[in-house]
Amino acid sequence: MKALIYEGPKLMNVREVDRPELQEDEVLIEVVYSGICGSELSGYLGHNSLRKPPMIFGHEFAGTIVEVGSKAAIAFIALTKGTRVTANPLVTCGLCDPCLRGKQQLCLERKLLSAALPGSNAEYVKIPARFVHVLPDHVTFEQGTFVEPLACGVRAAELAEVQPDHHVLIVGLGPIGLFALQAMQAHGVKHIIAVDRNPERLAIAAELGAIPLHASEVDIKQEVRRLTGGAGVAVAVDAVGAGVTRTQCVECVAYGGRVILTGLHEAESSLPINHIIRSEIVCVGAFAYSASNFSTALKWIADGRVKMNEDWIVKAPFEEASKWYDLLLSDPGKVAKVLLHP
């Protein structure tokens, strides 16, 4: 089969590789679209310790089942050849304490497609059947690729414990930031401030109903205080993962507020700990999503509660992947998501 292989920093090539051999509990999916994730951008640069060449990236995907393992066919009768699906790419054991408590993202044996397992930047990808989700008839393959990143936003909103009257700050308007914004809205939040340096991404946030603030043109802390009557926001989400944005979120949140840290850009950052203590600010890490979060994301998409305009999406063949990885790193413009296809 054809696959897009990461072969080293900023080096990706389309190669012929063996088609995956199916195990009894697995499903083989013919990939229609495979999204580029922000975590894979750092991997493309060689900055992600989980992604070592040679590797097939891709874990946001949708496609059609072409083969079902013998045990999977018995246990999951809805999964038949020709069924349109997406899949939760975080493969977990189901037996450890976090899994049994419904926190599969903290599984002691977790393995992610595109990191520990071959990903979806290929004609075919295999995955255990219990992680496969059937797409409703009215949900497109494009929308199916959005389920995974939206699930990250669902988890961030869940941890934020937002109320409809809360003011929320989202820093970083990549796909996760934009989906976290919409997840907050799905919880009834109407007052959302969105921060980025990219004017096109800020325009997207404005279209979604947020108040856009350009990080290089205004004093974010001062403007947030003005917009919230001096109190600060109840919740701030850092969807960048840099020291400056993490600190920005801490400085903009109200006394007793919550900071949700979901960006993974920098491994270490210094934070104003005394301010956090004196203000009783709660800082929470948000990693990936639970199985329930993933199901919720698919339901929200099916119900039309999440918006992703065609104008914000680019579709490109595997052969053009390097071009789009480079562009997403340098100047993404009004591109919220790039969907690769075989």
Side-chain angles (χ1 to χ4, degrees):
M1 69 172 184
K2 181 166 68 174
L4 180 64
I5 309 296
Y6 167 65
E7 298 182 323
K10 302 193 76 173
L11 182 61
M12 279 190 170
N13 290 297
V14 177
R15 305 287 189 196
E16 283 292 328
V17 300
D18 292 337
R19 179 166 152 165
E21 293 186 9
L22 213 59
Q23 301 298 312
E24 292 179 328
D25 65 336
E26 293 178 329
V27 168
L28 187 67
I29 300 167
E30 184 175 12
V31 176
V32 175
Y33 291 116
S34 179
I36 296 178
C37 174
S39 66
E40 292 166 344
L41 294 178
S42 62
Y44 175 70
L45 293 173
H47 297 166
N48 190 315
S49 61
L50 298 179
R51 292 180 165 90
K52 301 181 185 300
M55 178 173 286
I56 302 174
F57 284 5
H59 58 260
E60 309 170 1
F61 69 97
T64 303
I65 293 176
V66 293
E67 189 179 345
V68 182
S70 57
K71 288 184 178 178
I74 296 171
F76 302 91
I77 58 173
L79 302 183
T80 59
K81 185 176 180 179
T83 302
R84 301 164 61 256
V85 296
T86 186
N88 180 340
L90 196 62
V91 176
T92 53
C93 72
L95 300 173
C96 66
D97 182 63
C99 282
L100 294 175
R101 289 189 291 114
K103 296 186 176 182
Q104 292 85 358
Q105 72 275 23
L106 303 181
C107 174
L108 303 178
E109 303 293 333
R110 68 190 184 200
K111 295 179 180 178
L112 180 68
L113 268 65
S114 83
L117 300 170
S120 55
N121 288 352
E123 288 186 90
Y124 302 96
V125 63
K126 71 172 186 175
I127 190 167
R130 60 195 176 94
F131 299 102
V132 178
H133 294 251
V134 176
L135 294 178
D137 291 341
H138 66 283
V139 174
T140 66
F141 285 119
E142 291 91 337
Q143 291 172 315
T145 66
F146 302 150
V147 177
E148 195 276 345
L150 175 59
C152 295
V154 171
R155 178 58 178 161
E158 181 179 65
L159 288 167
E161 300 179 1
V162 287
Q163 302 296 325
D165 62 341
H166 278 167
H167 285 78
V168 172
L169 173 68
I170 308 285
V171 180
L173 299 176
I176 301 303
L178 291 171
F179 280 129
L181 189 162
Q182 295 192 68
M184 299 296 178
Q185 292 174 325
H187 281 275
V189 177
K190 295 179 175 59
H191 307 290
I192 300 178
I193 303 167
V195 175
D196 204 286
R197 286 194 174 92
N198 185 297
E200 288 87 358
R201 292 282 178 88
L202 288 167
I204 294 175
E207 287 183 50
L208 292 171
I211 299 171
L213 296 181
H214 195 296
S216 300
E217 295 180 358
V218 298
D219 184 316
I220 299 300
K221 178 181 177 182
Q222 181 178 330
E223 194 64 11
V224 167
R225 295 288 174 180
R226 183 186 71 80
L227 290 168
T228 58
V233 294
V235 173
V237 178
D238 171 52
V240 178
V244 63
T245 57
R246 289 165 177 162
T247 297
Q248 201 168 62
C249 286
V250 169
E251 291 178 341
C252 290
V253 79
Y255 288 172
R258 298 176 75 84
V259 174
I260 309 300
L261 303 168
T262 187
L264 286 167
H265 181 64
E266 293 179 2
E268 296 182 7
S269 298
S270 61
L271 292 172
I273 297 300
N274 284 354
H275 173 68
I276 291 172
I277 293 170
R278 290 172 181 141
S279 305
E280 292 195 353
I281 294 169
V282 178
C283 294
V284 183
F287 175 73
Y289 37 77
S290 66
S292 175
N293 297 147
F294 196 92
S295 296
T296 296
L298 178 55
K299 184 177 187 306
W300 283 0
I301 287 174
D303 291 346
R305 300 177 71 179
V306 175
K307 179 180 179 182
M308 182 60 72
N309 286 349
E310 283 290 328
D311 293 344
W312 306 341
I313 302 165
V314 167
K315 302 172 187 176
F318 285 167
E319 288 78 4
E320 295 180 8
S322 292
K323 162 189 164 183
W324 289 104
Y325 271 87
D326 290 335
L327 191 66
L328 287 171
L329 285 162
S330 60
D331 183 21
K334 202 174 181 178
V335 176
K337 179 60 68 176
V338 174
L339 303 182
L340 301 175
H341 56 81

